[in-house]
Amino acid sequence: MSNRIVDVIKMEPAKKIEVSGWVRSFRANKFISLNDGSCMASLQVVIDPDNFDIETINGLNTGASIWVSGPLVESLGGGQKTEISANEIRIIGNSNPEELQKTILQPKKHSLEKLREQGHLRMRTNLFGAVFRIRHHMSFAIHKYFNDKGFFYIHTPIITGTDAEGAGETFRVTTLPLGKKEVDNSQDFFGKPTHLTVSGQLEAELAALALGKAYTFGPTFRAENSNTTRHLAEFWMVEPEIAFADINDDIDLGEDFLKYLINYALDKCQEDLKFLNERALKEEEQLPKEKRNELSLIERMKMVSSNKFERISYTEAINILERSKPNKKKKFKYPIEWGVDLQSEHEKFLVEKHFKKPVVIVDYPASIKAFYMRENDDGKTVAAMDILFPGIGEIIGGSQREERYEVLQKKCKEFKIPEDAIWWYLETRKFGSVPHAGFGLGFERLMMFVTGMTNIRDVIPFPRTPNNAEF
Ligand code: ATP
Ligand code: MN
């Protein structure tokens, strides 16, 4: 097995090492820049063309995969500490230079749209290499955080027969023949209508009510037709549930969790973050001043991890918005009044203009939130909480769950949820029900925050959005 470049660049000079990777460039018939994806940095391979046959030299095209062996020596050039002086080179996979011109492997600046169209190749670029290495580290950190805190990872179903979450439009799952006008659901595969899950929460609750602390981390599906830069049809959600806990414990967990993940990235992904930070600064130079971020990516991450999140009630949020300048100047598109759902323009104002730090909003009107959220004593609001981040808006949505059987039963009626669809959910409130709470973190929203990428399609390897399910 070859050495990985991430290890080689930290090594002292050595007699013989072997590396395998893809040629980024070959210049002056002498210097190969070799990248193997293990890190941002490429390794310099120096060759004496007289020592290699013409096929090998001609095969050293951008994109080609090669194996190299030779001593690791101190580099005379300024860009790197060490380099390989190649004794042996094998071309493993050729890369046709003419065809390469049409691809994003061609070393020049490509638009994010073009990179998306070539999603099969974009991970080979510095930008997407960085994004997807960070994505790995964030996934790992999520499991580590919960494991260290005594949570159990539970796999909740992807196909579900519950149409109760009310979290959005669903994708149907069926084996019934296409094009039939009359559908007999009893003849379908599961003997009833099923769809792809929009959330693993209800099942995660069942786990928490047995194991104490549980979480799911898996794909979720919503037929979001909105085509925004923050919504995907298939995305990954992290959903912890804690028993014997209330809404404040839930917020504490959400804040601690987000800060942990951000600090983990700052600590473990320094090289990739530095690249993304500089890239974003360069991109923003092209924007008019008022559209630029006041803080850089890394500064934003540090700001969030070192500040206490502001906690306010929905009612306070409405008051602030009513008194705000943009409202008085009629700059908001959507009206503000107690009872309405907050729109992204409102969330943006609260986080970026008013408080200038993450904001947690609690106690939303019951009518705009899901049936399972715990009713507050005022009878009008529920113990729901949203965590809002600069540049992202809602990153976490959570609540204390209604643990009182009668109240939950009443809410089911109000929300027109047939009891026979979620009898099992209600039943947990009959046998040792306890106050419990949880939330959903959109993994790609977190990824947007820690990479500075502004379109959610650029933080998931293969995005699914309306009219787009390539690869
Ligand atoms: P939004 O108002 O942004 O559509 P939501 O209220 O529908 O969010 P929840 O149902 O509370 O969101 O889901 C929990 C979390 O999942 C959200 O806080 C967000 O981070 C993420 N999320 C929701 N919908 C999507 C989506 N279509 N694509 C990516 N992430 C999403
Ligand atoms: Mn939504």
Side-chain angles (χ1 to χ4, degrees):
M1 272 291 275
S2 305
N3 295 85
R4 292 185 321 150
I5 290 175
V6 65
D7 302 322
V8 172
I9 55 177
K10 289 182 212 132
M11 278 163 61
E12 293 300 317
K15 274 214 187 79
K16 190 185 168 200
I17 62 156
E18 297 171 19
V19 289
S20 305
W22 293 273
V23 174
R24 283 289 175 84
S25 66
F26 178 43
R27 59 187 174 84
N29 242 9
K30 203 169 171 172
F31 302 106
I32 305 168
S33 170
L34 191 69
N35 190 281
D36 70 353
S38 62
C39 60
M40 173 68 62
S42 294
L43 185 67
Q44 176 149 290
V45 179
V46 186
I47 66 165
D48 178 351
D50 295 342
N51 294 343
F52 295 91
D53 55 51
I54 192 75
E55 280 92 79
T56 306
I57 300 290
N58 286 344
L60 292 170
N61 298 314
T62 298
S65 52
I66 63 172
W67 170 90
V68 181
S69 163
L72 185 71
V73 298
E74 261 170 50
S75 175
L76 301 176
Q80 56 282 318
K81 204 177 92 213
T82 52
E83 61 196 21
I84 295 190
S85 168
N87 289 337
E88 260 186 283
I89 294 181
R90 263 181 246 143
I91 309 281
I92 297 173
N94 281 313
S95 168
N96 180 315
E98 265 125 65
E99 284 186 63
L100 185 94
Q101 304 289 320
K102 288 181 235 132
T103 74
I104 49 110
L105 295 177
Q106 162 88 335
K108 62 165 206 186
K109 196 169 157 36
H110 305 282
S111 70
L112 289 169
E113 290 75 20
K114 188 150 182 222
L115 286 155
R116 238 172 266 145
E117 283 164 18
Q118 296 187 30
H120 58 303
L121 297 174
R122 72 175 176 169
M123 281 190 228
R124 291 241 204 128
T125 63
N126 280 338
L127 175 59
F128 285 94
V131 167
F132 294 120
R133 278 188 295 271
I134 294 175
R135 190 175 163 111
H136 158 78
H137 286 294
M138 287 293 90
S139 309
F140 181 78
I142 284 163
H143 289 300
K144 178 163 167 52
Y145 177 88
F146 287 128
N147 181 66
D148 290 354
K149 291 216 178 282
F151 283 69
F152 297 104
Y153 178 33
I154 189 94
H155 297 106
T156 50
I158 287 171
I159 299 174
T160 144
T162 327
D163 195 10
E165 292 95 333
E169 291 301 309
T170 60
F171 291 100
R172 281 292 306 273
V173 174
T174 179
T175 52
L176 290 175
L178 292 168
K180 257 197 168 173
K181 280 249 170 61
E182 274 153 53
V183 184
D184 179 2
N185 287 317
S186 70
Q187 295 302 305
D188 206 347
F189 189 90
F190 296 104
K192 63 173 184 176
T194 50
H195 56 264
L196 296 177
T197 187
V198 294
S199 153
Q201 177 205 317
L202 301 188
E203 293 88 352
E205 276 186 56
L206 310 182
L209 293 172
L211 306 173
K213 296 197 269 187
Y215 72 105
T216 91
F217 179 13
T220 38
F221 307 86
R222 296 184 186 182
E224 306 267 18
N225 237 330
S226 39
N227 235 328
T228 76
T229 53
R230 303 178 305 124
H231 290 90
L232 292 162
E234 176 181 287
F235 65 101
W236 287 66
M237 187 138 68
V238 188
E239 294 175 280
E241 284 291 326
I242 41 178
F244 308 100
D246 65 14
I247 186 75
N248 291 314
D249 300 317
D250 201 34
I251 300 172
D252 291 344
L253 177 67
E255 180 168 347
D256 187 61
F257 180 49
L258 287 169
K259 286 179 172 171
Y260 173 89
L261 295 174
I262 290 164
N263 284 325
Y264 190 96
L266 284 168
D267 182 35
K268 296 285 194 314
C269 309
Q270 288 182 19
E271 192 196 23
D272 288 328
L273 278 180
K274 193 165 160 258
F275 174 89
L276 291 167
N277 197 59
E278 277 158 23
R279 176 192 173 272
L281 289 176
K282 254 185 251 143
E283 293 286 303
E284 282 182 24
E285 275 171 20
Q286 329 263 330
L287 296 175
K289 265 223 168 67
E290 65 276 10
K291 290 230 165 127
R292 291 183 208 165
N293 276 302
E294 278 170 41
L295 303 176
S296 74
L297 167 63
I298 292 177
E299 285 167 344
R300 288 198 298 279
M301 290 170 71
K302 289 187 173 157
M303 182 273 275
V304 167
S305 80
S306 61
N307 272 299
K308 182 116 191 66
F309 294 4
E310 189 72 36
R311 301 185 185 191
I312 58 167
S313 71
Y314 167 89
T315 305
E316 286 169 84
I318 291 290
N319 286 339
I320 293 169
L321 289 165
E322 272 176 342
R323 292 195 307 263
S324 72
K325 249 196 210 144
N327 191 46
K328 286 185 179 145
K329 289 189 176 162
K330 303 215 175 341
K331 286 268 165 67
F332 288 136
K333 195 167 152 221
Y334 296 89
I336 318 271
E337 111 192 65
W338 201 96
V340 301
D341 207 356
L342 297 181
Q343 300 293 328
S344 115
E345 56 177 357
H346 308 138
E347 299 178 344
K348 247 184 140 73
F349 173 82
L350 290 169
V351 175
E352 289 162 27
K353 294 275 164 351
H354 192 82
F355 290 109
K356 293 185 189 287
K357 58 178 166 169
V359 178
V360 189
I361 302 184
V362 287
D363 298 335
Y364 282 82
S367 57
I368 57 169
K369 290 288 180 185
F371 78 98
Y372 50 72
M373 298 191 177
R374 193 179 195 278
E375 205 169 83
N376 287 327
D377 292 341
D378 62 13
K380 289 195 311 194
T381 61
V382 287
M385 64 99 169
D386 280 1
I387 302 184
L388 314 178
F389 259 29
I392 309 289
E394 180 184 334
I395 191 161
I396 277 183
S399 66
Q400 186 171 335
R401 319 305 189 189
E402 185 56 75
E403 86 284 13
R404 297 162 295 186
Y405 183 79
E406 285 76 23
V407 183
L408 191 57
Q409 209 177 24
K410 179 197 83 181
K411 288 293 282 285
C412 284
K413 284 211 182 76
E414 284 172 17
F415 281 74
K416 300 201 167 53
I417 293 161
E419 264 187 52
D420 59 357
I422 49 157
W423 59 272
W424 44 272
Y425 187 73
L426 281 157
E427 193 146 291
T428 54
R429 273 63 173 173
K430 277 193 194 166
F431 308 108
S433 190
V434 296
H436 63 288
F439 61 76
L441 164 69
F443 183 52
E444 285 75 21
R445 301 259 174 104
L446 171 78
M447 279 301 300
M448 290 173 79
F449 185 73
V450 297
T451 59
M453 301 303 283
T454 51
N455 191 322
I456 199 165
R457 295 166 174 87
D458 295 328
V459 295
I460 188 164
F462 306 106
R464 270 82 184 92
T465 50
N467 294 314
N468 170 40
E470 197 68 25
F471 313 112

